[in-house]
């Protein structure tokens, strides 16, 4: 009987006559070694997993559009911002940091907030978080910090002790710890949270002038969070609450939106601010550097295939475009290296030519062979080195970034003691109303379950320096009397 469905084939395209029964010697077996169709099927299943991301393994994503609503061309020549009304396609991926791929969505954790803008001069990846700061200011500390968020080598359980031991010995983490333990540490779903580039980046314009810039993405759905109690109930009912909410909302045609805003600092100001503007544990106060509107982001299309379009999506802060650059932020430099490195390991050397990562602008380079190399050469096969006389791609000096002015001698600077780690967490603490403070204290107390007293005391001393009411509030939530603690 004629079949309307496509004909089943092997991966080499040969038609398959039977997709249920192995090739056997006799009705009762055994299977013969020449049943390559059986082995192909099983071998493929064995290879369906790629290494999950060491951090940000659990993710949710969607396609969308960025539209310029305000002219910022005096700061940057990036073509994505070249005119009001211009639209650029994008792919967003949100994630939790610590949990593995099967982790529950509604867990208290920082959220990744990444945007791949497919601009006409290459992909610009804004690889941010839902927090404007981070736990550490130097990439040298990052692997240790992440170790404290992951499983203990012996128990294979996550360890509150490791977390608070590290945090209490690394007081630059106070600002981010306060955000994590506050209401915003547990959003209801990706569309109810802000995003931040967090690092200081730079803009440079057609006149070769550099500005320092911070990126902000303000939710237009309003902030919504779960309390710990609410989240426990949600996780009891569904471990996939973010995926359900994001996918379902877009499927219903209700498209989440964010206002894209920037803070701009003239290059020379970096010498004058009372805080290091390249320190990832600090914000720039809005009163010093007000938010400037840039445009609007809308998510409006669900991926057709999660693995192809979200798991394979490879974001890296190294993906910048002419008009956007880095800053002296040392954590940023570590990330510029580590993300691309992680993708080469996870997806292979040619991960940028996977359909979801491939720029929508022309790509022409001299990288050669390697696993999964399948893009074609630069039109002329003789142009496979540089310089050449055969019409191969040439560098364009007009996109040369202006030199970055750096002062200082090379060294490993430990400047913890000189740096004020308390003022900005205090400004944040002062934003909280009484009920928010109460939830902060309780969330911290809950997260300190099983932590040795000396570590708790060390951390309480930091809270005291932010505000005595902060330390006392946590003591009360822990059931420790004030006098006993002093
Ligand atoms: P502003 O009062 O001008 O801005 C406060 C900022 O804090 C807004 O961006 C607001 O985001 C955000 N915010 C409000 N409530 C909370 C909350 N409960 N938890 C976390 N963030 C919240 O103050 P400053 O710019 O002087 O900053 C004061 C403190 O605010 C900082 O120390 C920092 O902790 C925090 N903050 C500052 C940001 C900045 O870039 N300056 C960005 C985010 C937080 P929204 O408008 O979306 O409500």
């Amino acid at each position: 009987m004629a079949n309307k469905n496509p004909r089943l084939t092997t991966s080499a395209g040969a038609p398959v006559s039977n997709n249920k029964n192995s090739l056997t010697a006799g009705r009762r077996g055994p299977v013969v070694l020449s049943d390559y169709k059986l082995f192909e099927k099983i071998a493929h299943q064995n290879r369906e997993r790629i290494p999950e991301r060491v951090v940000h393994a659990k993710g949710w994503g969607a396609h969308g559009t960025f539209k310029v609503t305000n002219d910022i061309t005096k700061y940057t020549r990036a073509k994505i911002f070249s005119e009001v009304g211009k639209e650029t396609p994008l792919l967003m991926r949100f994630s939790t940091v610590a949990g593995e791929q099967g982790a529950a969505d509604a867990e208290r954790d920082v959220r990744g907030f990444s945007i791949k803008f497919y601009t006409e001069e290459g992909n610009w990846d804004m690889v941010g978080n839902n927090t404007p700061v981070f736990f550490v200011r130097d990439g040298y500390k990052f692997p240790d910090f992440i170790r404290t968020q992951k499983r203990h080598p012996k128990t294979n359980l996550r360890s509150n002790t490791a977390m608070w031991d590290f945090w209490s010995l690394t007081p630059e983490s106070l600002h981010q710890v306060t955000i994590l333990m506050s209401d915003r540490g547990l959003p209801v779903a990706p569309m109810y949270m802000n995003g931040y580039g967090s690092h200081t980046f730079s803009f440079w314009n057609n006149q070769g002038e550099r500005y320092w810039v911070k990126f902000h993405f303000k939710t237009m759905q309003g902030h919504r969070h779960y309390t710990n109690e609410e989240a426990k109930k949600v996780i009891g009912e569904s471990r996939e609450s973010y995926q359900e909410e994001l996918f379902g909302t877009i499927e219903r045609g209700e498209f989440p939106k964010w206002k894209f805003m920037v803070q701009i600092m003239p290059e020379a100001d970096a010498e004058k601010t009372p805080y290091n503007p390249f320190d990832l544990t600090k914000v720039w106060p809005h009163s010093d550097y007000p938010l400037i509107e840039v445009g609007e982001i809308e998510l409006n299309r669900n991926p057709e295939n999660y693995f192809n379009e979200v798991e394979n999506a490879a974001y890296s802060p190294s993906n910048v475009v002419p008009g956007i650059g880095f800053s002296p932020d040392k954590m940023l430099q570590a990330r510029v290296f580590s993300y691309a490195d992680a993708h080469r390991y996870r997806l292979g050397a040619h991960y940028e030519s996977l359909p979801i990562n491939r720029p929508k602008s022309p790509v022409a380079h001299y990288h050669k062979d390697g696993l999964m190399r399948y893009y074609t050469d630069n039109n002329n096969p003789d142009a496979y080195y540089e310089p050449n006389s055969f019409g191969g791609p040439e560098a364009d000096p007009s996109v040369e970034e202006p030199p970055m002015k750096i002062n200082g001698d090379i060294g490993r600077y430990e400047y913890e003691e000189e740096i004020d780690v308390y003022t900005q967490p205090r400004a944040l603490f002062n934003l909280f109303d009484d009920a928010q403070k109460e939830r902060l204290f309780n969330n911290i107390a809950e997260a300190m379950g099983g932590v040795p007293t000396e570590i708790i005391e060390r951390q309480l001393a930091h809270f005291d320096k932010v505000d005595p009411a902060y330390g006392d509030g946590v003591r009360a939530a822990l059931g420790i009397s004030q006098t006993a603690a002093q």
Side-chain angles (χ1 to χ4, degrees):
M1 198 174 75
N3 193 341
K4 290 207 189 73
N5 293 349
R7 192 159 66 161
L8 183 70
T9 72
T10 63
S11 50
V16 172
S17 61
N18 184 321
N19 193 33
K20 293 187 180 65
N21 302 109
S22 304
L23 191 63
T24 52
R27 301 188 80 81
R28 296 186 175 186
V31 171
V32 300
L33 189 58
S34 54
D35 192 356
Y36 71 92
K37 291 171 183 161
L38 166 69
F39 301 137
E40 176 179 297
K41 191 172 178 179
I42 291 171
H44 262 276
Q45 184 177 40
N46 284 344
R47 287 160 180 77
E48 280 176 5
R49 296 288 166 270
I50 57 175
E52 69 170 36
R53 292 162 171 86
V54 175
V55 284
H56 296 274
K58 182 74 190 275
W60 321 275
H63 298 269
T65 316
F66 163 63
K67 187 174 180 178
V68 180
T69 55
N70 187 34
D71 182 8
I72 57 162
T73 52
K74 66 177 169 187
Y75 303 118
T76 175
R77 54 162 293 168
K79 288 200 167 160
I80 179 175
F81 304 119
S82 64
E83 56 189 289
V84 171
K86 183 167 184 167
E87 295 194 358
T88 300
L90 57 83
L91 175 78
M92 285 183 80
R93 182 177 184 272
F94 311 95
S95 49
T96 43
V97 180
E100 293 92 358
Q101 237 175 9
D105 294 350
E107 288 184 348
R108 181 168 299 280
D109 197 355
V110 171
R111 264 65 180 164
F113 190 104
S114 298
I115 314 173
K116 189 180 284 295
F117 296 95
Y118 299 94
T119 89
E120 66 195 91
E121 281 194 319
N123 290 349
W124 172 36
D125 290 355
M126 208 298 307
V127 196
N129 278 333
N130 71 329
T131 59
V133 295
F134 195 64
F135 297 95
V136 290
R137 63 165 75 95
D138 192 321
Y140 217 120
K141 300 176 185 172
F142 185 79
D144 290 298
F145 162 64
I146 288 302
R147 218 143 270 158
T148 71
Q149 302 296 300
K150 295 280 186 177
R151 294 170 187 275
H152 185 281
K154 183 167 181 182
T155 64
N156 200 32
L157 298 168
R158 292 185 67 188
S159 165
N160 291 347
T161 298
M163 291 182 209
W164 289 104
D165 192 30
F166 181 88
W167 287 334
S168 62
L169 291 168
T170 315
E172 70 203 50
S173 63
L174 253 179
H175 198 177
Q176 178 80 323
V177 166
T178 304
I179 296 174
L180 175 65
M181 295 296 162
S182 76
D183 288 353
R184 292 199 185 181
L186 187 30
V188 163
M191 55 280 245
Y192 304 117
M193 64 192 195
N194 286 351
Y196 303 91
S198 306
H199 299 284
T200 296
F201 290 85
S202 53
F203 270 164
W204 46 282
N205 63 17
N206 277 323
Q207 287 70 51
E209 296 160 331
R210 186 186 298 280
Y211 295 87
W212 306 118
V213 59
K214 292 261 198 198
F215 300 115
H216 298 252
F217 303 87
K218 295 238 181 201
T219 174
M220 295 170 70
Q221 288 66 241
H223 292 277
R224 286 181 58 195
H225 323 107
Y226 286 132
T227 62
N228 281 359
E229 288 314 307
E230 287 167 338
K232 281 174 197 158
K233 195 158 170 286
V234 169
I235 292 173
E237 286 163 6
S238 169
R239 298 173 62 77
E240 317 293 340
S241 52
Y242 277 40
Q243 180 68 16
E244 287 164 3
E245 177 101 18
L246 183 66
F247 187 88
T249 303
I250 294 173
E251 214 60 5
R252 287 194 301 275
E254 298 159 21
F255 299 144
K257 290 183 182 166
W258 286 263
K259 274 251 176 282
F260 181 175
M261 307 179 100
V262 289
Q263 285 175 291
I264 302 277
M265 181 186 288
E267 190 175 23
D269 274 24
E271 302 297 323
K272 303 178 199 153
T273 50
Y275 47 88
N276 172 3
F278 309 119
D279 177 347
L280 183 58
T281 66
K282 303 277 192 299
V283 296
W284 300 352
H286 290 136
S287 49
D288 296 348
Y289 299 96
L291 290 174
I292 300 168
E293 179 181 323
V294 177
E296 220 172 270
I297 279 171
E298 176 185 271
L299 289 183
N300 46 32
R301 183 162 59 88
N302 277 318
E304 287 302 315
N305 181 292
Y306 178 87
F307 186 89
N308 288 352
E309 296 160 59
V310 183
E311 187 57 17
N312 271 345
Y315 293 86
S316 173
S318 54
N319 284 349
V320 287
V321 292
I324 303 175
F326 307 128
S327 79
D329 179 339
K330 15 185 191 175
M331 186 75 191
L332 176 58
Q333 270 99 49
R335 293 182 72 212
V336 163
F337 159 73
S338 72
Y339 281 64
D341 183 56
H343 298 313
R344 287 182 196 111
Y345 159 68
R346 220 170 66 81
L347 300 169
H350 294 290
Y351 70 93
E352 296 279 29
S353 51
L354 281 170
I356 196 64
N357 299 322
R358 193 185 301 148
K360 298 193 192 300
S361 58
V363 174
H365 53 63
Y366 292 95
H367 302 325
K368 276 288 280 171
D369 306 339
L371 208 61
M372 292 201 295
R373 192 257 211 246
Y374 51 83
Y375 58 88
T376 49
D377 270 320
N378 311 309
N379 303 323
N380 185 346
D382 293 328
Y384 61 96
Y385 53 88
E386 224 272 316
N388 65 69
S389 313
F390 304 106
E394 288 178 343
D396 172 4
S398 77
V399 297
E400 180 67 38
E401 182 173 344
M404 195 178 289
K405 301 180 186 78
I406 303 291
N407 299 321
D409 303 322
I410 291 176
R412 295 187 189 275
Y413 294 101
E414 178 59 72
Y415 55 166
E416 194 69 62
E417 293 79 32
E418 300 161 32
I419 287 186
D420 166 23
V421 297
Y422 302 108
T423 299
Q424 292 204 354
R426 186 176 307 127
L428 178 63
F429 186 72
N430 290 336
L431 282 178
F432 300 155
D433 62 26
D434 287 349
Q436 285 173 315
K437 285 181 184 164
E438 210 50 45
R439 289 193 291 274
L440 171 75
F441 305 148
N442 288 328
N443 292 339
I444 290 173
E446 196 173 314
M448 283 181 163
V451 178
T453 310
E454 63 273 21
I455 294 177
I456 293 180
E457 292 299 343
R458 198 193 293 141
Q459 185 67 40
L460 287 170
H462 293 307
F463 292 147
D464 286 339
K465 287 187 194 162
V466 174
D467 191 319
Y470 192 171
D472 283 347
V474 177
R475 277 185 193 93
L478 285 166
I480 304 176
S481 80
Q482 244 175 288
T483 15
Q486 281 162 355

